[in-house]
Amino acid sequence: MTTKLRDLSKLCVHTLTNKPWNLQQCVEKYSAAGIRGITIWRNVLENQNLNEAFTMLNDNNMSVVSIARGGFFPSVNKPERIKALDDNLLAIEQAAAVGAPSVVLVCGADGRQSLAKSREQIKEGIIKLLPAAKAAGVKLSIEPLHPMYAADRSAVNTLAQANDMVEEINSDFVGVAVDVYHLWWDNNLQSEIKRCGANNSIFAFHICDWNVPTTDFLNDRGLMGDGCINVPEIRGWVENAGFSGFNEVEIFSDKYWKINQTDYLEKIKNAYLKYS
Ligand code: ZN
């Protein structure tokens, strides 16, 4: 086996990883650090002229990998479901405006109904978005979330469930986002990643680490190498399944948000080269 030396060409950072920074700071700092990929969280697009954002990204040679995030389809209340669709249409528009090829879907869940019902509404919602997604040339990535979020953030909790949905919807515009944080524990992960390969459906690959012990279920993600996830192994599976896109560093961390973000970016680069 030959081991190819890791370089920064496939590194993408999510703006929320550097939560203290606005879009301009993220773009300028990433670009200066030799990072070419950026996934834009919609909070930094608020009060931001999208044409100016597009120009700024271009001027700094950044590739926008995704917009994060759409989704949150299910609700026991129909008006809420309609509102969610409108918000997703806006996410698709924003993606097209800044040159993002895809929107990541955190699919949602409503604890007042069954997971099966929520999944049904998720599928319905995605199908309703398809004409707009196709017209805009923006793909939709279903991101399965760890089961600890099943009651409120996503009723899609395994890659198998996401693959089922992708196959049922059966559109080139719908695929999956594989996030090691959410999926590392699954003993079917390798075979389900293979299944994605057959469908050509891996649209995104998110990396970070699972801290042991974890002190917060949302904002205690680790930097690669901090915890127990074998990121290189999972990356190997994803690449064997035909994925050749960016590796997106997505870390929500109260700990890292407190430190100097420029120093943190250096840590991210080093951890990426060494542990991913
Ligand atoms: Zn993710």
Side-chain angles (χ1 to χ4, degrees):
M1 210 179 103
T2 52
T3 41
K4 213 175 129 236
L5 214 57
R6 202 92 161 111
D7 61 36
L8 297 179
S9 59
K10 291 274 168 75
L11 173 57
C12 163
V13 180
H14 281 227
T15 56
L16 199 56
T17 297
N18 299 105
K19 192 178 173 187
W21 283 345
N22 62 27
L23 182 62
Q24 187 179 350
Q25 286 171 306
C26 286
V27 169
E28 289 174 0
K29 296 283 191 177
Y30 296 171
S31 179
I35 297 166
R36 300 267 65 92
I38 183 169
T39 282
I40 301 174
W41 279 69
R42 293 171 69 199
N43 63 310
V44 296
L45 291 179
E46 281 165 21
N47 308 314
Q48 166 76 53
N49 178 302
L50 295 181
N51 291 329
E52 282 171 21
F54 180 81
T55 305
M56 176 168 68
L57 289 155
N58 249 350
D59 289 350
N60 286 279
N61 268 323
M62 297 301 294
S63 291
V64 186
V65 178
S66 255
I67 287 293
R69 60 181 192 232
F72 287 95
F73 299 102
S75 172
V76 293
N77 300 318
K78 196 170 180 198
E80 288 297 316
R81 297 204 296 276
I82 293 169
K83 218 166 93 188
L85 282 180
D86 287 344
D87 184 59
N88 278 284
L89 291 172
L90 176 63
I92 290 169
E93 258 175 53
Q94 290 172 318
V98 299
S102 67
V103 171
V104 176
L105 302 176
V106 172
C107 292
D110 188 332
R112 294 166 292 180
Q113 63 188 14
S114 71
L115 289 169
K117 185 75 192 167
S118 285
R119 282 197 283 274
E120 208 176 283
Q121 292 174 351
I122 291 165
K123 197 170 96 178
E124 265 173 33
I126 293 172
I127 290 170
K128 283 189 180 143
L129 292 178
L130 270 180
K134 283 182 190 167
V138 172
K139 295 184 174 189
L140 305 172
S141 316
I142 299 172
E143 178 166 10
L145 258 51
H146 191 282
M148 67 183 170
Y149 302 118
D152 54 358
R153 303 178 81 79
S154 183
V156 180
N157 305 107
T158 62
L159 190 51
Q161 287 167 352
N163 282 338
D164 287 348
M165 208 174 275
V166 165
E167 289 174 4
E168 285 161 23
I169 297 171
N170 190 22
S171 161
D172 291 348
F173 279 81
V174 180
V176 300
V178 172
D179 186 324
V180 301
Y181 182 79
H182 297 298
L183 301 176
W184 68 276
W185 55 273
D186 185 349
N187 61 333
N188 292 320
L189 185 56
Q190 187 178 10
S191 58
E192 288 298 327
I193 286 174
K194 258 191 200 153
R195 194 176 151 200
C196 296
N199 294 333
N200 212 5
S201 63
I202 303 179
F203 291 175
F205 180 50
H206 298 174
I207 57 175
C208 67
D209 211 339
W210 183 280
N211 286 334
V212 186
T214 282
T215 58
D216 187 282
F217 285 164
L218 199 56
N219 296 329
D220 186 39
R221 294 190 187 197
L223 188 55
M224 296 78 73
D226 283 353
C228 64
I229 303 179
N230 189 336
V231 179
E233 182 176 52
I234 300 175
R235 176 167 67 90
W237 297 343
V238 165
E239 288 174 355
N240 284 338
F243 179 78
S244 60
F246 279 94
N247 299 181
E248 306 175 39
V249 176
E250 181 190 28
I251 302 173
F252 315 149
S253 166
D254 289 328
K255 175 182 140 189
Y256 287 123
W257 286 332
K258 279 191 200 113
I259 69 173
N260 177 296
Q261 294 297 293
T262 307
D263 296 345
Y264 179 34
L265 201 55
E266 282 306 305
K267 280 187 203 289
I268 290 171
K269 280 164 60 175
N270 291 333
Y272 173 80
L273 294 172
K274 214 166 160 189
Y275 300 110
S276 80

